[in-house]
Amino acid sequence: MNYPCERLAAQATIDTPMGPMLIAATERGLAGLWFEDQRHHPDVIDARVDAGQRWIALTARQLSEYFEGRRERFEIPLDAAGTEFQQAVWHALSALPFAATTSYGAIAQTIGKPAAVRAVGAAVGRNPIGIIVPCHRVLGRDGSLTGYAGGLDRKTALLAHEARHSPTALERAA
């Protein structure tokens, strides 16, 4: 897959409990976060490797906190390349509360395009900022697990992780 690399300032690969992830950033914010083997992973990014670049370092730290169960919301400026429609879908995804789920149809309603359920599905699948733009929280209309570019096993694990660390789950354990 080609990614608009002319905008990118830096990249780095980090280890996570769910496998290596590639982080790409512009000078303005986070542009991409992909699992190593996921669909739509860019083949090559022509940007310097720099784990210390400010948005890459911030992303790595906040992801670590997320996987440790200490972070529910990410505070990273986003600068992903996408169409106006994709941006609207990704913005709607970003508004989902921690551990909450939704459907493609609900997102289509949210962005004011109720007939665009399939197009919403395509935009969700092309989300270049996994976990932080939480496309793993989208389920089928009947609540079933549906496709996830990072793999259904990861989607299941991410949903279980969030369920374990949600305020509701923590209140039940107390």
Coordinates of all heavy atoms in Angstrom, one line a residue, residues 105-150:
G105 N -23.9 1.4 11.2 CA -25.1 2.1 11.0 C -25.2 3.3 11.9 O -25.6 4.4 11.5
A106 N -24.8 3.1 13.2 CA -24.8 4.3 14.1 C -23.8 5.3 13.7 O -24.1 6.5 13.9 CB -24.5 3.7 15.6
I107 N -22.7 4.9 13.2 CA -21.7 5.9 12.8 C -22.2 6.7 11.6 O -22.1 7.9 11.5 CB -20.3 5.3 12.5 CG1 -19.7 4.8 13.8 CG2 -19.4 6.3 11.8 CD1 -18.5 4.0 13.6
A108 N -22.9 5.9 10.7 CA -23.5 6.6 9.5 C -24.5 7.6 9.9 O -24.5 8.7 9.4 CB -24.1 5.5 8.6
Q109 N -25.3 7.3 10.9 CA -26.3 8.3 11.5 C -25.5 9.5 12.1 O -25.9 10.6 11.9 CB -27.1 7.6 12.6 CG -28.1 6.6 12.0 CD -29.3 7.2 11.3 OE1 -29.6 8.4 11.5 NE2 -29.9 6.4 10.5
T110 N -24.5 9.2 12.9 CA -23.8 10.3 13.5 C -23.2 11.3 12.6 O -23.2 12.5 12.8 CB -22.6 9.7 14.4 OG1 -23.2 8.8 15.4 CG2 -21.8 10.7 15.0
I111 N -22.7 10.8 11.4 CA -22.1 11.7 10.5 C -23.1 12.3 9.5 O -22.7 13.0 8.5 CB -20.9 11.1 9.7 CG1 -21.3 10.0 8.8 CG2 -19.8 10.7 10.7 CD1 -20.2 9.5 7.9
G112 N -24.4 12.0 9.7 CA -25.4 12.5 8.8 C -25.6 11.9 7.5 O -26.1 12.5 6.6
K113 N -25.1 10.6 7.4 CA -25.1 9.9 6.1 C -25.7 8.5 6.4 O -25.1 7.5 6.2 CB -23.8 9.7 5.5 CG -23.0 11.0 5.3 CD -23.3 11.6 4.0 CE -22.4 12.9 3.8 NZ -22.8 13.6 2.7
P114 N -27.0 8.4 6.8 CA -27.6 7.2 7.2 C -27.6 6.1 6.2 O -27.6 4.9 6.5 CB -29.0 7.6 7.6 CG -29.3 8.9 7.0 CD -28.0 9.5 6.8
A115 N -27.6 6.4 4.9 CA -27.6 5.4 3.8 C -26.2 4.9 3.5 O -26.0 4.1 2.6 CB -28.3 5.9 2.6
A116 N -25.1 5.5 4.1 CA -23.8 5.2 3.7 C -23.1 4.2 4.6 O -21.9 4.2 4.9 CB -23.0 6.5 3.7
V117 N -23.8 3.2 5.0 CA -23.3 2.2 6.0 C -22.1 1.5 5.4 O -21.1 1.3 6.0 CB -24.4 1.2 6.4 CG1 -23.8 0.1 7.3 CG2 -25.5 2.0 7.1
R118 N -22.2 1.0 4.1 CA -21.1 0.3 3.5 C -19.9 1.2 3.3 O -18.7 0.8 3.6 CB -21.5 -0.2 2.1 CG -22.4 -1.4 2.2 CD -22.7 -1.9 0.8 NE -23.7 -2.9 0.8 CZ -23.4 -4.2 0.8 NH1 -22.2 -4.7 0.8 NH2 -24.4 -5.1 0.8
A119 N -20.1 2.5 3.0 CA -19.0 3.4 2.8 C -18.3 3.7 4.2 O -17.1 3.8 4.3 CB -19.5 4.7 2.2
V120 N -19.1 3.7 5.3 CA -18.6 3.9 6.6 C -17.7 2.7 6.9 O -16.6 2.8 7.5 CB -19.7 4.0 7.7 CG1 -19.2 3.8 9.1 CG2 -20.4 5.4 7.6
G121 N -18.2 1.5 6.6 CA -17.4 0.3 6.8 C -16.0 0.3 6.1 O -15.0 0.0 6.7
A122 N -16.0 0.8 4.9 CA -14.8 1.0 4.1 C -13.9 2.0 4.8 O -12.7 1.8 4.9 CB -15.1 1.4 2.7
A123 N -14.4 3.1 5.3 CA -13.6 4.1 5.9 C -13.1 3.6 7.3 O -11.9 3.9 7.6 CB -14.4 5.4 6.2
V124 N -13.9 2.9 8.0 CA -13.4 2.3 9.2 C -12.2 1.3 8.9 O -11.2 1.3 9.6 CB -14.5 1.5 10.0 CG1 -14.0 0.7 11.1 CG2 -15.6 2.5 10.5
G125 N -12.4 0.5 7.9 CA -11.3 -0.4 7.5 C -10.0 0.2 7.1 O -9.0 -0.3 7.2
R126 N -10.1 1.5 6.6 CA -9.0 2.2 6.1 C -8.4 3.1 7.2 O -7.4 3.9 6.9 CB -9.3 3.0 4.9 CG -9.5 2.2 3.6 CD -8.1 1.8 3.2 NE -8.3 1.1 1.9 CZ -7.3 0.7 1.1 NH1 -6.1 1.0 1.5 NH2 -7.5 0.1 0.0
N127 N -8.9 3.1 8.4 CA -8.4 3.9 9.5 C -6.9 3.7 9.6 O -6.5 2.6 9.9 CB -9.2 3.6 10.8 CG -8.5 4.2 12.0 OD1 -7.9 5.2 11.9 ND2 -8.7 3.5 13.1
P128 N -6.1 4.8 9.5 CA -4.7 4.6 9.6 C -4.1 4.7 11.0 O -2.9 4.6 11.2 CB -4.1 5.7 8.7 CG -5.1 6.8 8.8 CD -6.5 6.1 9.0
I129 N -5.0 5.0 11.9 CA -4.5 5.2 13.3 C -5.2 4.2 14.2 O -6.1 4.6 15.0 CB -4.6 6.7 13.7 CG1 -3.9 7.6 12.8 CG2 -4.1 6.9 15.2 CD1 -4.0 9.1 13.1
G130 N -4.8 3.0 14.2 CA -5.4 1.9 15.0 C -5.3 2.3 16.5 O -4.4 3.0 16.9
I131 N -6.2 1.7 17.3 CA -6.3 1.8 18.7 C -6.7 3.2 19.1 O -7.7 3.5 19.8 CB -5.1 1.3 19.5 CG1 -4.8 -0.2 19.2 CG2 -5.2 1.5 21.0 CD1 -3.5 -0.7 19.8
I132 N -5.9 4.2 18.7 CA -6.1 5.6 19.1 C -7.4 6.1 18.5 O -8.2 6.8 19.2 CB -4.9 6.5 18.8 CG1 -3.8 6.0 19.8 CG2 -5.2 8.0 19.0 CD1 -2.4 6.6 19.5
V133 N -7.6 5.8 17.2 CA -8.9 6.1 16.6 C -9.5 4.7 16.6 O -9.2 3.8 15.8 CB -8.7 6.6 15.1 CG1 -10.1 6.7 14.5 CG2 -8.0 8.0 15.2
P134 N -10.4 4.4 17.6 CA -10.8 3.0 18.0 C -11.7 2.3 17.1 O -12.9 2.0 17.5 CB -11.4 3.3 19.4 CG -12.0 4.6 19.3 CD -11.0 5.4 18.5
C135 N -11.3 1.9 15.9 CA -12.1 1.2 15.0 C -12.4 -0.2 15.5 O -13.4 -0.8 15.1 CB -11.5 1.1 13.6 SG -9.8 0.5 13.6
H136 N -11.6 -0.7 16.5 CA -11.9 -2.0 17.1 C -13.2 -2.0 17.9 O -13.8 -3.0 18.2 CB -10.8 -2.4 18.0 CG -10.5 -1.5 19.1 ND1 -9.7 -0.4 19.0 CD2 -10.9 -1.6 20.4 CE1 -9.7 0.2 20.2 NE2 -10.4 -0.5 21.1
R137 N -13.8 -0.8 18.2 CA -15.0 -0.7 18.9 C -16.3 -0.8 18.0 O -17.4 -0.7 18.6 CB -15.0 0.6 19.7 CG -13.9 0.6 20.8 CD -14.0 1.9 21.6 NE -12.8 2.0 22.4 CZ -12.3 3.1 22.8 NH1 -12.8 4.3 22.5 NH2 -11.2 3.1 23.6
V138 N -16.1 -1.0 16.8 CA -17.2 -1.1 15.8 C -17.6 -2.5 15.6 O -16.8 -3.4 15.3 CB -16.9 -0.4 14.5 CG1 -18.2 -0.5 13.6 CG2 -16.5 1.0 14.7
L139 N -18.9 -2.8 15.9 CA -19.5 -4.2 15.8 C -20.5 -4.2 14.7 O -21.0 -3.2 14.2 CB -20.1 -4.6 17.1 CG -19.2 -4.5 18.3 CD1 -20.0 -4.9 19.6 CD2 -18.0 -5.4 18.2
G140 N -20.9 -5.4 14.3 CA -22.0 -5.5 13.3 C -23.3 -5.1 14.0 O -23.4 -4.9 15.2
R141 N -24.3 -4.9 13.1 CA -25.6 -4.4 13.6 C -26.2 -5.3 14.7 O -26.8 -4.8 15.6 CB -26.6 -4.4 12.4 CG -28.0 -4.0 12.7 CD -28.9 -4.0 11.5 NE -28.6 -5.1 10.7 CZ -28.9 -5.2 9.4 NH1 -29.5 -4.3 8.8 NH2 -28.6 -6.3 8.7
D142 N -25.9 -6.6 14.6 CA -26.4 -7.5 15.6 C -25.5 -7.7 16.8 O -25.7 -8.6 17.6 CB -26.7 -8.9 14.9 CG -25.4 -9.5 14.4 OD1 -24.3 -8.9 14.4 OD2 -25.6 -10.7 13.8
G143 N -24.4 -6.9 16.9 CA -23.5 -7.0 18.0 C -22.3 -8.0 17.7 O -21.5 -8.2 18.6
S144 N -22.3 -8.6 16.5 CA -21.2 -9.6 16.2 C -19.9 -8.9 15.9 O -19.9 -7.7 15.4 CB -21.7 -10.4 15.1 OG -21.9 -9.6 13.9
L145 N -18.8 -9.6 16.1 CA -17.5 -9.1 15.7 C -17.4 -9.2 14.2 O -17.8 -10.2 13.6 CB -16.4 -10.0 16.3 CG -16.2 -9.8 17.8 CD1 -15.1 -10.8 18.3 CD2 -15.9 -8.4 18.2
T146 N -17.0 -8.1 13.6 CA -16.9 -8.0 12.2 C -15.4 -7.7 11.9 O -14.6 -7.6 12.8 CB -17.8 -7.0 11.6 OG1 -17.5 -5.7 12.2 CG2 -19.3 -7.3 11.8
G147 N -15.1 -7.6 10.6 CA -13.7 -7.4 10.2 C -13.0 -6.3 11.0 O -13.5 -5.4 11.5
Y148 N -11.7 -6.6 11.1 CA -10.8 -5.6 11.7 C -9.4 -5.8 11.0 O -8.9 -6.9 10.9 CB -10.6 -6.0 13.2 CG -9.7 -5.1 13.9 CD1 -9.9 -3.7 14.0 CD2 -8.6 -5.6 14.6 CE1 -9.1 -2.8 14.7 CE2 -7.7 -4.7 15.3 CZ -7.9 -3.4 15.3 OH -7.1 -2.6 16.0
A149 N -8.9 -4.7 10.5 CA -7.7 -4.8 9.7 C -6.5 -5.4 10.4 O -5.6 -6.0 9.9 CB -7.3 -3.4 9.2
G150 N -6.5 -5.3 11.8 CA -5.5 -5.9 12.6 C -5.7 -7.3 13.0 O -4.9 -7.9 13.6

